[in-house]
Structure formats: C-alpha cells, structure tokens
Amino acid sequence: GQSLEQPSEVTAVEGAIVQINCTYQTSGFYGLSWYQQHDGGAPTFLSYNALDGLEETGRFSSFLSRSDSYGYLLLQELQMKDSASYFCAVRGNTGKLIFGQGTTLQVKP
Amino acid sequence: EAQVTQNPRYLITVTGKKLTVTCSQNMNHEYMSWYRQDPGLGLRQIYYSMNVEVTDKGDVPEGYKVSRKEKRNFPLILESPSPNQTSLYFCASSLDRGTLYEQYFGPGTRLTVT
C-alpha cells in the first residue's frame, strides 16, 4: 500500500523560516509533489521533486531524499498570506496521486 | 482563461436522490480525476481517467460512478447518495499521465446529504 505522514499543524511568526516534513511508503515511486490550499479553496500546485536534492521557487523550496523516503517543503520569509494547508503527494506506479493528510500552517504577526 | 469548472458549487440533497456533479476543463488535458476532502483525511481519490473512455477506480470509489465521453468533461454521478457522502469534492486535471504530479483543481463542490 501507500501512505504519507506529515505533521498536522505548524505555527511560525512572520518573517521566519518553516519546514514541513513528509515521509512516505509507496509501492513504486516517481516523485513527490507539494500543494497549497487556502481555507476551503482549491489546492494549487507548488513544486515537484523526482530526483534527490533541493528545488527552489522563490521563497519556497522543496527537498527530496529517495533513499530515506523523505521530503520537505521549506518556506522562507513567511508572510501572513502563507497561512494555509500544505499537502505532500506521491505519484507511485499507478495512475494515481496519493495525498498526505495535510499540514495546517499558521503564521502569526 | 485556462481553468477547471465544477457545478454546482453547493448542493444540499436528500438520501437516495440521484445527482450529478459536472466537471469541465478547457486545457485539452488527457488526465482527469475526482477527489473528496474530509476533515483530517486529506484528499482521497475517487476515480480517475487517463483519456476518453478510459476510467479507473481510485481509493474510495464505492457509491460513485463516472464517465468520460468527451475529453473536456468528467462528470461524477451519485446514484443513491447517503449521508456519509457529505463532503467537499474537487475535480482536477493534468496534461497527461506523465504530468499527473501537477494537477489543476476546480473550485470545489460542497455536498450535504441529509
């Protein structure tokens, strides 16, 4: 089967850096995606890692270690608008994208 | 504007009354999918389609049907809705199976079954 684990909640202050971890177990692995979802809204794609290492997109970076079945999303220079839920998702050897349960990030002033 | 649209956005219905939630995308995407989102459970895939006339079960297909007669449309059908299908539903699409890691989501349909 496939499963993903990520923390349920994270709190940080404006301007800080926060890391949201994701560990996964899958039968077959192609890559790890990250999505952002503001309260009740549509999830939006943030990043994808197919290979080991760090991918940077502006204030957001995503990291993958295939040998450790582990990845993380790094958010720098936090802003109030970054308060949202963040989901990691794994593409395995099926036609499915399996999502984690999500991490709610609260950014405080 | 490239988008995924869903209708209706909100629906309150009664147990057993058949309903259809429509989903349409204007990006010529091959891959389409339906998810349900419940508190604490993340997004769970109901059905997906890799192309016209090709559909397959996701992780929670019981009680749902889909069809893919045209590339742009992927309706979700609840033949006999029950209260445990009360949820927030999202339709999503991606260019093809190879890029399903990057899906574009519709705005969601909030369904309540009483």
PDB file of all heavy atoms in Angstrom, chain B residues 23-60:
ATOM      1  N   CYS B  23     -17.939  18.457 -14.300  1.00  0.00           N
ATOM      2  CA  CYS B  23     -16.572  18.957 -14.298  1.00  0.00           C
ATOM      3  C   CYS B  23     -16.144  19.151 -15.743  1.00  0.00           C
ATOM      4  O   CYS B  23     -16.321  18.251 -16.569  1.00  0.00           O
ATOM      5  CB  CYS B  23     -15.633  17.976 -13.609  1.00  0.00           C
ATOM      6  SG  CYS B  23     -13.885  18.436 -13.769  1.00  0.00           S
ATOM      7  N   SER B  24     -15.573  20.305 -16.019  1.00  0.00           N
ATOM      8  CA  SER B  24     -15.122  20.584 -17.372  1.00  0.00           C
ATOM      9  C   SER B  24     -13.797  21.336 -17.325  1.00  0.00           C
ATOM     10  O   SER B  24     -13.591  22.195 -16.478  1.00  0.00           O
ATOM     11  CB  SER B  24     -16.172  21.425 -18.108  1.00  0.00           C
ATOM     12  OG  SER B  24     -15.788  21.650 -19.447  1.00  0.00           O
ATOM     13  N   GLN B  25     -12.899  20.977 -18.259  1.00  0.00           N
ATOM     14  CA  GLN B  25     -11.625  21.703 -18.353  1.00  0.00           C
ATOM     15  C   GLN B  25     -11.402  22.143 -19.800  1.00  0.00           C
ATOM     16  O   GLN B  25     -11.800  21.459 -20.749  1.00  0.00           O
ATOM     17  CB  GLN B  25     -10.451  20.840 -17.839  1.00  0.00           C
ATOM     18  CG  GLN B  25     -10.364  19.437 -18.393  1.00  0.00           C
ATOM     19  CD  GLN B  25      -9.559  19.282 -19.658  1.00  0.00           C
ATOM     20  OE1 GLN B  25      -8.888  20.220 -20.110  1.00  0.00           O
ATOM     21  NE2 GLN B  25      -9.608  18.103 -20.259  1.00  0.00           N
ATOM     22  N   ASN B  26     -10.771  23.301 -19.950  1.00  0.00           N
ATOM     23  CA  ASN B  26     -10.560  23.881 -21.284  1.00  0.00           C
ATOM     24  C   ASN B  26      -9.085  23.883 -21.688  1.00  0.00           C
ATOM     25  O   ASN B  26      -8.661  24.705 -22.511  1.00  0.00           O
ATOM     26  CB  ASN B  26     -11.137  25.301 -21.335  1.00  0.00           C
ATOM     27  CG  ASN B  26     -10.448  26.256 -20.378  1.00  0.00           C
ATOM     28  OD1 ASN B  26      -9.518  25.871 -19.658  1.00  0.00           O
ATOM     29  ND2 ASN B  26     -10.883  27.497 -20.355  1.00  0.00           N
ATOM     30  N   MET B  27      -8.316  22.976 -21.098  1.00  0.00           N
ATOM     31  CA  MET B  27      -6.878  22.958 -21.346  1.00  0.00           C
ATOM     32  C   MET B  27      -6.443  21.779 -22.225  1.00  0.00           C
ATOM     33  O   MET B  27      -5.252  21.529 -22.372  1.00  0.00           O
ATOM     34  CB  MET B  27      -6.139  22.921 -20.000  1.00  0.00           C
ATOM     35  CG  MET B  27      -6.397  24.162 -19.161  1.00  0.00           C
ATOM     36  SD  MET B  27      -5.769  24.024 -17.467  1.00  0.00           S
ATOM     37  CE  MET B  27      -7.061  23.063 -16.700  1.00  0.00           C
ATOM     38  N   ASN B  28      -7.421  21.041 -22.753  1.00  0.00           N
ATOM     39  CA  ASN B  28      -7.122  19.875 -23.584  1.00  0.00           C
ATOM     40  C   ASN B  28      -6.311  18.815 -22.826  1.00  0.00           C
ATOM     41  O   ASN B  28      -5.466  18.119 -23.397  1.00  0.00           O
ATOM     42  CB  ASN B  28      -6.369  20.273 -24.864  1.00  0.00           C
ATOM     43  CG  ASN B  28      -6.501  19.222 -25.964  1.00  0.00           C
ATOM     44  OD1 ASN B  28      -7.539  18.580 -26.095  1.00  0.00           O
ATOM     45  ND2 ASN B  28      -5.455  19.044 -26.743  1.00  0.00           N
ATOM     46  N   HIS B  29      -6.586  18.721 -21.536  1.00  0.00           N
ATOM     47  CA  HIS B  29      -5.878  17.753 -20.707  1.00  0.00           C
ATOM     48  C   HIS B  29      -6.418  16.346 -20.917  1.00  0.00           C
ATOM     49  O   HIS B  29      -7.627  16.146 -21.056  1.00  0.00           O
ATOM     50  CB  HIS B  29      -6.007  18.130 -19.223  1.00  0.00           C
ATOM     51  CG  HIS B  29      -5.114  19.256 -18.832  1.00  0.00           C
ATOM     52  ND1 HIS B  29      -5.125  19.811 -17.566  1.00  0.00           N
ATOM     53  CD2 HIS B  29      -4.163  19.925 -19.527  1.00  0.00           C
ATOM     54  CE1 HIS B  29      -4.214  20.756 -17.503  1.00  0.00           C
ATOM     55  NE2 HIS B  29      -3.624  20.854 -18.674  1.00  0.00           N
ATOM     56  N   GLU B  30      -5.507  15.386 -20.907  1.00  0.00           N
ATOM     57  CA  GLU B  30      -5.919  13.986 -21.055  1.00  0.00           C
ATOM     58  C   GLU B  30      -6.369  13.387 -19.719  1.00  0.00           C
ATOM     59  O   GLU B  30      -7.283  12.585 -19.668  1.00  0.00           O
ATOM     60  CB  GLU B  30      -4.757  13.162 -21.619  1.00  0.00           C
ATOM     61  CG  GLU B  30      -4.436  13.458 -23.074  1.00  0.00           C
ATOM     62  CD  GLU B  30      -3.379  12.543 -23.643  1.00  0.00           C
ATOM     63  OE1 GLU B  30      -2.826  11.712 -22.886  1.00  0.00           O
ATOM     64  OE2 GLU B  30      -3.099  12.649 -24.849  1.00  0.00           O
ATOM     65  N   TYR B  31      -5.691  13.748 -18.646  1.00  0.00           N
ATOM     66  CA  TYR B  31      -5.919  13.124 -17.346  1.00  0.00           C
ATOM     67  C   TYR B  31      -6.887  13.968 -16.527  1.00  0.00           C
ATOM     68  O   TYR B  31      -6.717  15.189 -16.396  1.00  0.00           O
ATOM     69  CB  TYR B  31      -4.592  12.995 -16.602  1.00  0.00           C
ATOM     70  CG  TYR B  31      -4.668  12.291 -15.267  1.00  0.00           C
ATOM     71  CD1 TYR B  31      -4.403  10.933 -15.150  1.00  0.00           C
ATOM     72  CD2 TYR B  31      -4.980  12.995 -14.098  1.00  0.00           C
ATOM     73  CE1 TYR B  31      -4.452  10.281 -13.925  1.00  0.00           C
ATOM     74  CE2 TYR B  31      -5.044  12.366 -12.883  1.00  0.00           C
ATOM     75  CZ  TYR B  31      -4.778  10.999 -12.799  1.00  0.00           C
ATOM     76  OH  TYR B  31      -4.828  10.361 -11.583  1.00  0.00           O
ATOM     77  N   MET B  32      -7.920  13.303 -15.972  1.00  0.00           N
ATOM     78  CA  MET B  32      -8.856  13.982 -15.086  1.00  0.00           C
ATOM     79  C   MET B  32      -9.143  13.087 -13.890  1.00  0.00           C
ATOM     80  O   MET B  32      -9.021  11.856 -13.977  1.00  0.00           O
ATOM     81  CB  MET B  32     -10.162  14.341 -15.827  1.00  0.00           C
ATOM     82  CG  MET B  32      -9.950  15.320 -16.966  1.00  0.00           C
ATOM     83  SD  MET B  32     -11.481  15.905 -17.724  1.00  0.00           S
ATOM     84  CE  MET B  32     -12.086  17.040 -16.463  1.00  0.00           C
ATOM     85  N   SER B  33      -9.529  13.718 -12.798  1.00  0.00           N
ATOM     86  CA  SER B  33      -9.672  12.963 -11.555  1.00  0.00           C
ATOM     87  C   SER B  33     -10.696  13.633 -10.647  1.00  0.00           C
ATOM     88  O   SER B  33     -10.922  14.841 -10.728  1.00  0.00           O
ATOM     89  CB  SER B  33      -8.308  12.898 -10.852  1.00  0.00           C
ATOM     90  OG  SER B  33      -8.378  12.134  -9.689  1.00  0.00           O
ATOM     91  N   TRP B  34     -11.299  12.835  -9.777  1.00  0.00           N
ATOM     92  CA  TRP B  34     -12.183  13.335  -8.739  1.00  0.00           C
ATOM     93  C   TRP B  34     -11.616  12.964  -7.377  1.00  0.00           C
ATOM     94  O   TRP B  34     -11.154  11.831  -7.167  1.00  0.00           O
ATOM     95  CB  TRP B  34     -13.584  12.723  -8.860  1.00  0.00           C
ATOM     96  CG  TRP B  34     -14.460  13.439  -9.820  1.00  0.00           C
ATOM     97  CD1 TRP B  34     -14.789  13.065 -11.087  1.00  0.00           C
ATOM     98  CD2 TRP B  34     -15.135  14.683  -9.593  1.00  0.00           C
ATOM     99  NE1 TRP B  34     -15.624  13.991 -11.666  1.00  0.00           N
ATOM    100  CE2 TRP B  34     -15.853  14.993 -10.755  1.00  0.00           C
ATOM    101  CE3 TRP B  34     -15.205  15.566  -8.501  1.00  0.00           C
ATOM    102  CZ2 TRP B  34     -16.628  16.140 -10.870  1.00  0.00           C
ATOM    103  CZ3 TRP B  34     -15.978  16.693  -8.619  1.00  0.00           C
ATOM    104  CH2 TRP B  34     -16.681  16.977  -9.794  1.00  0.00           C
ATOM    105  N   TYR B  35     -11.697  13.933  -6.448  1.00  0.00           N
ATOM    106  CA  TYR B  35     -11.270  13.723  -5.067  1.00  0.00           C
ATOM    107  C   TYR B  35     -12.384  14.155  -4.134  1.00  0.00           C
ATOM    108  O   TYR B  35     -13.180  15.023  -4.457  1.00  0.00           O
ATOM    109  CB  TYR B  35     -10.027  14.580  -4.745  1.00  0.00           C
ATOM    110  CG  TYR B  35      -8.806  14.253  -5.556  1.00  0.00           C
ATOM    111  CD1 TYR B  35      -8.578  14.870  -6.783  1.00  0.00           C
ATOM    112  CD2 TYR B  35      -7.873  13.341  -5.094  1.00  0.00           C
ATOM    113  CE1 TYR B  35      -7.445  14.576  -7.534  1.00  0.00           C
ATOM    114  CE2 TYR B  35      -6.735  13.036  -5.833  1.00  0.00           C
ATOM    115  CZ  TYR B  35      -6.538  13.659  -7.052  1.00  0.00           C
ATOM    116  OH  TYR B  35      -5.414  13.364  -7.787  1.00  0.00           O
ATOM    117  N   ARG B  36     -12.377  13.570  -2.965  1.00  0.00           N
ATOM    118  CA  ARG B  36     -13.185  14.085  -1.883  1.00  0.00           C
ATOM    119  C   ARG B  36     -12.271  14.477  -0.735  1.00  0.00           C
ATOM    120  O   ARG B  36     -11.217  13.850  -0.532  1.00  0.00           O
ATOM    121  CB  ARG B  36     -14.249  13.088  -1.421  1.00  0.00           C
ATOM    122  CG  ARG B  36     -13.765  11.794  -0.861  1.00  0.00           C
ATOM    123  CD  ARG B  36     -14.931  10.926  -0.353  1.00  0.00           C
ATOM    124  NE  ARG B  36     -15.527  11.475   0.860  1.00  0.00           N
ATOM    125  CZ  ARG B  36     -16.649  10.989   1.430  1.00  0.00           C
ATOM    126  NH1 ARG B  36     -17.261   9.953   0.881  1.00  0.00           N
ATOM    127  NH2 ARG B  36     -17.127  11.545   2.525  1.00  0.00           N
ATOM    128  N   GLN B  37     -12.668  15.528  -0.043  1.00  0.00           N
ATOM    129  CA  GLN B  37     -11.860  16.013   1.071  1.00  0.00           C
ATOM    130  C   GLN B  37     -12.705  16.082   2.319  1.00  0.00           C
ATOM    131  O   GLN B  37     -13.745  16.741   2.350  1.00  0.00           O
ATOM    132  CB  GLN B  37     -11.270  17.390   0.759  1.00  0.00           C
ATOM    133  CG  GLN B  37     -10.325  17.891   1.843  1.00  0.00           C
ATOM    134  CD  GLN B  37      -9.622  19.167   1.460  1.00  0.00           C
ATOM    135  OE1 GLN B  37     -10.139  20.000   0.706  1.00  0.00           O
ATOM    136  NE2 GLN B  37      -8.403  19.359   1.963  1.00  0.00           N
ATOM    137  N   ASP B  38     -12.266  15.389   3.334  1.00  0.00           N
ATOM    138  CA  ASP B  38     -12.931  15.371   4.621  1.00  0.00           C
ATOM    139  C   ASP B  38     -11.931  15.788   5.696  1.00  0.00           C
ATOM    140  O   ASP B  38     -10.740  15.501   5.575  1.00  0.00           O
ATOM    141  CB  ASP B  38     -13.475  13.965   4.917  1.00  0.00           C
ATOM    142  CG  ASP B  38     -14.411  13.477   3.825  1.00  0.00           C
ATOM    143  OD1 ASP B  38     -15.528  14.014   3.767  1.00  0.00           O
ATOM    144  OD2 ASP B  38     -14.019  12.605   3.034  1.00  0.00           O
ATOM    145  N   PRO B  39     -12.425  16.443   6.750  1.00  0.00           N
ATOM    146  CA  PRO B  39     -11.513  16.944   7.791  1.00  0.00           C
ATOM    147  C   PRO B  39     -10.597  15.847   8.329  1.00  0.00           C
ATOM    148  O   PRO B  39     -11.063  14.766   8.698  1.00  0.00           O
ATOM    149  CB  PRO B  39     -12.478  17.453   8.867  1.00  0.00           C
ATOM    150  CG  PRO B  39     -13.729  17.799   8.127  1.00  0.00           C
ATOM    151  CD  PRO B  39     -13.828  16.795   7.022  1.00  0.00           C
ATOM    152  N   GLY B  40      -9.317  16.135   8.365  1.00  0.00           N
ATOM    153  CA  GLY B  40      -8.349  15.194   8.912  1.00  0.00           C
ATOM    154  C   GLY B  40      -7.969  14.041   8.004  1.00  0.00           C
ATOM    155  O   GLY B  40      -7.101  13.231   8.354  1.00  0.00           O
ATOM    156  N   LEU B  41      -8.599  13.966   6.828  1.00  0.00           N
ATOM    157  CA  LEU B  41      -8.322  12.834   5.932  1.00  0.00           C
ATOM    158  C   LEU B  41      -7.651  13.255   4.637  1.00  0.00           C
ATOM    159  O   LEU B  41      -7.389  12.418   3.768  1.00  0.00           O
ATOM    160  CB  LEU B  41      -9.618  12.082   5.613  1.00  0.00           C
ATOM    161  CG  LEU B  41     -10.310  11.417   6.792  1.00  0.00           C
ATOM    162  CD1 LEU B  41     -11.592  10.744   6.347  1.00  0.00           C
ATOM    163  CD2 LEU B  41      -9.384  10.395   7.462  1.00  0.00           C
ATOM    164  N   GLY B  42      -7.392  14.518   4.468  1.00  0.00           N
ATOM    165  CA  GLY B  42      -6.731  14.955   3.251  1.00  0.00           C
ATOM    166  C   GLY B  42      -7.616  14.771   2.030  1.00  0.00           C
ATOM    167  O   GLY B  42      -8.845  14.731   2.117  1.00  0.00           O
ATOM    168  N   LEU B  43      -6.979  14.657   0.888  1.00  0.00           N
ATOM    169  CA  LEU B  43      -7.680  14.457  -0.376  1.00  0.00           C
ATOM    170  C   LEU B  43      -7.608  12.984  -0.748  1.00  0.00           C
ATOM    171  O   LEU B  43      -6.509  12.412  -0.838  1.00  0.00           O
ATOM    172  CB  LEU B  43      -7.006  15.289  -1.475  1.00  0.00           C
ATOM    173  CG  LEU B  43      -7.198  16.792  -1.365  1.00  0.00           C
ATOM    174  CD1 LEU B  43      -6.006  17.526  -1.951  1.00  0.00           C
ATOM    175  CD2 LEU B  43      -8.473  17.204  -2.068  1.00  0.00           C
ATOM    176  N   ARG B  44      -8.737  12.385  -0.963  1.00  0.00           N
ATOM    177  CA  ARG B  44      -8.773  10.986  -1.350  1.00  0.00           C
ATOM    178  C   ARG B  44      -9.367  10.856  -2.750  1.00  0.00           C
ATOM    179  O   ARG B  44     -10.419  11.422  -3.033  1.00  0.00           O
ATOM    180  CB  ARG B  44      -9.583  10.170  -0.335  1.00  0.00           C
ATOM    181  CG  ARG B  44      -8.939  10.112   1.054  1.00  0.00           C
ATOM    182  CD  ARG B  44      -9.760   9.275   2.010  1.00  0.00           C
ATOM    183  NE  ARG B  44     -11.045   9.898   2.298  1.00  0.00           N
ATOM    184  CZ  ARG B  44     -12.061   9.274   2.885  1.00  0.00           C
ATOM    185  NH1 ARG B  44     -11.937   8.002   3.223  1.00  0.00           N
ATOM    186  NH2 ARG B  44     -13.182   9.920   3.126  1.00  0.00           N
ATOM    187  N   GLN B  45      -8.704  10.073  -3.568  1.00  0.00           N
ATOM    188  CA  GLN B  45      -9.109   9.969  -4.957  1.00  0.00           C
ATOM    189  C   GLN B  45     -10.275   8.996  -5.115  1.00  0.00           C
ATOM    190  O   GLN B  45     -10.254   7.885  -4.578  1.00  0.00           O
ATOM    191  CB  GLN B  45      -7.932   9.507  -5.807  1.00  0.00           C
ATOM    192  CG  GLN B  45      -8.144   9.656  -7.295  1.00  0.00           C
ATOM    193  CD  GLN B  45      -6.868   9.438  -8.077  1.00  0.00           C
ATOM    194  OE1 GLN B  45      -6.056   8.580  -7.727  1.00  0.00           O
ATOM    195  NE2 GLN B  45      -6.661  10.209  -9.124  1.00  0.00           N
ATOM    196  N   ILE B  46     -11.277   9.421  -5.871  1.00  0.00           N
ATOM    197  CA  ILE B  46     -12.473   8.604  -6.071  1.00  0.00           C
ATOM    198  C   ILE B  46     -12.346   7.800  -7.376  1.00  0.00           C
ATOM    199  O   ILE B  46     -12.447   6.580  -7.380  1.00  0.00           O
ATOM    200  CB  ILE B  46     -13.731   9.500  -6.124  1.00  0.00           C
ATOM    201  CG1 ILE B  46     -13.848  10.343  -4.855  1.00  0.00           C
ATOM    202  CG2 ILE B  46     -14.983   8.659  -6.321  1.00  0.00           C
ATOM    203  CD1 ILE B  46     -14.929  11.416  -4.929  1.00  0.00           C
ATOM    204  N   TYR B  47     -12.177   8.492  -8.467  1.00  0.00           N
ATOM    205  CA  TYR B  47     -11.976   7.908  -9.785  1.00  0.00           C
ATOM    206  C   TYR B  47     -11.016   8.789 -10.564  1.00  0.00           C
ATOM    207  O   TYR B  47     -10.879   9.974 -10.277  1.00  0.00           O
ATOM    208  CB  TYR B  47     -13.304   7.821 -10.555  1.00  0.00           C
ATOM    209  CG  TYR B  47     -14.084   6.561 -10.372  1.00  0.00           C
ATOM    210  CD1 TYR B  47     -15.096   6.485  -9.415  1.00  0.00           C
ATOM    211  CD2 TYR B  47     -13.842   5.439 -11.157  1.00  0.00           C
ATOM    212  CE1 TYR B  47     -15.834   5.328  -9.237  1.00  0.00           C
ATOM    213  CE2 TYR B  47     -14.569   4.269 -10.988  1.00  0.00           C
ATOM    214  CZ  TYR B  47     -15.569   4.220 -10.031  1.00  0.00           C
ATOM    215  OH  TYR B  47     -16.287   3.065  -9.867  1.00  0.00           O
ATOM    216  N   TYR B  48     -10.394   8.193 -11.568  1.00  0.00           N
ATOM    217  CA  TYR B  48      -9.575   8.980 -12.475  1.00  0.00           C
ATOM    218  C   TYR B  48      -9.744   8.454 -13.893  1.00  0.00           C
ATOM    219  O   TYR B  48     -10.233   7.336 -14.116  1.00  0.00           O
ATOM    220  CB  TYR B  48      -8.101   8.994 -12.055  1.00  0.00           C
ATOM    221  CG  TYR B  48      -7.407   7.645 -12.051  1.00  0.00           C
ATOM    222  CD1 TYR B  48      -6.655   7.227 -13.142  1.00  0.00           C
ATOM    223  CD2 TYR B  48      -7.472   6.824 -10.934  1.00  0.00           C
ATOM    224  CE1 TYR B  48      -6.002   6.007 -13.127  1.00  0.00           C
ATOM    225  CE2 TYR B  48      -6.826   5.602 -10.917  1.00  0.00           C
ATOM    226  CZ  TYR B  48      -6.089   5.202 -12.002  1.00  0.00           C
ATOM    227  OH  TYR B  48      -5.444   3.989 -11.989  1.00  0.00           O
ATOM    228  N   SER B  49      -9.324   9.286 -14.828  1.00  0.00           N
ATOM    229  CA  SER B  49      -9.441   8.929 -16.240  1.00  0.00           C
ATOM    230  C   SER B  49      -8.184   9.386 -16.958  1.00  0.00           C
ATOM    231  O   SER B  49      -7.810  10.556 -16.880  1.00  0.00           O
ATOM    232  CB  SER B  49     -10.661   9.604 -16.857  1.00  0.00           C
ATOM    233  OG  SER B  49     -10.646   9.491 -18.267  1.00  0.00           O
ATOM    234  N   MET B  50      -7.548   8.466 -17.653  1.00  0.00           N
ATOM    235  CA  MET B  50      -6.324   8.815 -18.366  1.00  0.00           C
ATOM    236  C   MET B  50      -6.609   9.346 -19.765  1.00  0.00           C
ATOM    237  O   MET B  50      -5.727   9.962 -20.369  1.00  0.00           O
ATOM    238  CB  MET B  50      -5.404   7.610 -18.428  1.00  0.00           C
ATOM    239  CG  MET B  50      -4.941   7.172 -17.059  1.00  0.00           C
ATOM    240  SD  MET B  50      -3.409   6.287 -17.102  1.00  0.00           S
ATOM    241  CE  MET B  50      -3.415   5.537 -15.506  1.00  0.00           C
ATOM    242  N   ASN B  51      -7.814   9.076 -20.259  1.00  0.00           N
ATOM    243  CA  ASN B  51      -8.200   9.622 -21.558  1.00  0.00           C
ATOM    244  C   ASN B  51      -9.662   9.288 -21.808  1.00  0.00           C
ATOM    245  O   ASN B  51     -10.306   8.610 -21.002  1.00  0.00           O
ATOM    246  CB  ASN B  51      -7.303   9.065 -22.675  1.00  0.00           C
ATOM    247  CG  ASN B  51      -7.057  10.089 -23.776  1.00  0.00           C
ATOM    248  OD1 ASN B  51      -7.936  10.902 -24.098  1.00  0.00           O
ATOM    249  ND2 ASN B  51      -5.874  10.070 -24.342  1.00  0.00           N
ATOM    250  N   VAL B  52     -10.171   9.714 -22.928  1.00  0.00           N
ATOM    251  CA  VAL B  52     -11.571   9.454 -23.276  1.00  0.00           C
ATOM    252  C   VAL B  52     -11.846   7.956 -23.238  1.00  0.00           C
ATOM    253  O   VAL B  52     -11.042   7.161 -23.730  1.00  0.00           O
ATOM    254  CB  VAL B  52     -11.883  10.032 -24.669  1.00  0.00           C
ATOM    255  CG1 VAL B  52     -13.312   9.696 -25.083  1.00  0.00           C
ATOM    256  CG2 VAL B  52     -11.668  11.527 -24.684  1.00  0.00           C
ATOM    257  N   GLU B  53     -12.961   7.618 -22.604  1.00  0.00           N
ATOM    258  CA  GLU B  53     -13.433   6.237 -22.495  1.00  0.00           C
ATOM    259  C   GLU B  53     -12.542   5.351 -21.624  1.00  0.00           C
ATOM    260  O   GLU B  53     -12.731   4.128 -21.601  1.00  0.00           O
ATOM    261  CB  GLU B  53     -13.600   5.594 -23.887  1.00  0.00           C
ATOM    262  CG  GLU B  53     -14.558   6.312 -24.808  1.00  0.00           C
ATOM    263  CD  GLU B  53     -16.015   6.245 -24.366  1.00  0.00           C
ATOM    264  OE1 GLU B  53     -16.317   5.659 -23.323  1.00  0.00           O
ATOM    265  OE2 GLU B  53     -16.876   6.816 -25.075  1.00  0.00           O
ATOM    266  N   VAL B  54     -11.590   5.942 -20.914  1.00  0.00           N
ATOM    267  CA  VAL B  54     -10.714   5.178 -20.022  1.00  0.00           C
ATOM    268  C   VAL B  54     -10.860   5.722 -18.607  1.00  0.00           C
ATOM    269  O   VAL B  54     -10.450   6.851 -18.333  1.00  0.00           O
ATOM    270  CB  VAL B  54      -9.236   5.273 -20.451  1.00  0.00           C
ATOM    271  CG1 VAL B  54      -8.356   4.452 -19.489  1.00  0.00           C
ATOM    272  CG2 VAL B  54      -9.058   4.800 -21.879  1.00  0.00           C
ATOM    273  N   THR B  55     -11.490   4.930 -17.729  1.00  0.00           N
ATOM    274  CA  THR B  55     -11.633   5.354 -16.339  1.00  0.00           C
ATOM    275  C   THR B  55     -11.175   4.239 -15.420  1.00  0.00           C
ATOM    276  O   THR B  55     -11.188   3.062 -15.808  1.00  0.00           O
ATOM    277  CB  THR B  55     -13.092   5.720 -15.997  1.00  0.00           C
ATOM    278  OG1 THR B  55     -13.911   4.564 -16.142  1.00  0.00           O
ATOM    279  CG2 THR B  55     -13.607   6.825 -16.902  1.00  0.00           C
ATOM    280  N   ASP B  56     -10.795   4.603 -14.212  1.00  0.00           N
ATOM    281  CA  ASP B  56     -10.324   3.602 -13.259  1.00  0.00           C
ATOM    282  C   ASP B  56     -10.621   4.070 -11.844  1.00  0.00           C
ATOM    283  O   ASP B  56     -10.769   5.267 -11.584  1.00  0.00           O
ATOM    284  CB  ASP B  56      -8.835   3.361 -13.418  1.00  0.00           C
ATOM    285  CG  ASP B  56      -8.453   1.914 -13.120  1.00  0.00           C
ATOM    286  OD1 ASP B  56      -9.240   1.232 -12.422  1.00  0.00           O
ATOM    287  OD2 ASP B  56      -7.389   1.473 -13.551  1.00  0.00           O
ATOM    288  N   LYS B  57     -10.729   3.088 -10.944  1.00  0.00           N
ATOM    289  CA  LYS B  57     -11.061   3.391  -9.564  1.00  0.00           C
ATOM    290  C   LYS B  57      -9.875   3.997  -8.829  1.00  0.00           C
ATOM    291  O   LYS B  57      -8.732   3.580  -9.013  1.00  0.00           O
ATOM    292  CB  LYS B  57     -11.504   2.113  -8.849  1.00  0.00           C
ATOM    293  CG  LYS B  57     -12.784   1.521  -9.390  1.00  0.00           C
ATOM    294  CD  LYS B  57     -13.125   0.233  -8.649  1.00  0.00           C
ATOM    295  CE  LYS B  57     -14.422  -0.369  -9.203  1.00  0.00           C
ATOM    296  NZ  LYS B  57     -14.759  -1.643  -8.517  1.00  0.00           N
ATOM    297  N   GLY B  58     -10.196   4.957  -7.961  1.00  0.00           N
ATOM    298  CA  GLY B  58      -9.215   5.475  -7.040  1.00  0.00           C
ATOM    299  C   GLY B  58      -9.278   4.700  -5.750  1.00  0.00           C
ATOM    300  O   GLY B  58      -9.560   3.498  -5.729  1.00  0.00           O
ATOM    301  N   ASP B  59      -9.086   5.385  -4.641  1.00  0.00           N
ATOM    302  CA  ASP B  59      -9.053   4.712  -3.342  1.00  0.00           C
ATOM    303  C   ASP B  59     -10.412   4.596  -2.668  1.00  0.00           C
ATOM    304  O   ASP B  59     -10.597   3.747  -1.809  1.00  0.00           O
ATOM    305  CB  ASP B  59      -8.092   5.463  -2.410  1.00  0.00           C
ATOM    306  CG  ASP B  59      -6.651   5.341  -2.871  1.00  0.00           C
ATOM    307  OD1 ASP B  59      -6.263   4.238  -3.325  1.00  0.00           O
ATOM    308  OD2 ASP B  59      -5.914   6.341  -2.796  1.00  0.00           O
ATOM    309  N   VAL B  60     -11.361   5.445  -3.041  1.00  0.00           N
ATOM    310  CA  VAL B  60     -12.684   5.423  -2.405  1.00  0.00           C
ATOM    311  C   VAL B  60     -13.794   5.492  -3.439  1.00  0.00           C
ATOM    312  O   VAL B  60     -14.598   6.426  -3.460  1.00  0.00           O
ATOM    313  CB  VAL B  60     -12.826   6.567  -1.368  1.00  0.00           C
ATOM    314  CG1 VAL B  60     -11.991   6.286  -0.139  1.00  0.00           C
ATOM    315  CG2 VAL B  60     -12.463   7.910  -1.990  1.00  0.00           C
TER     316      VAL B  60
END
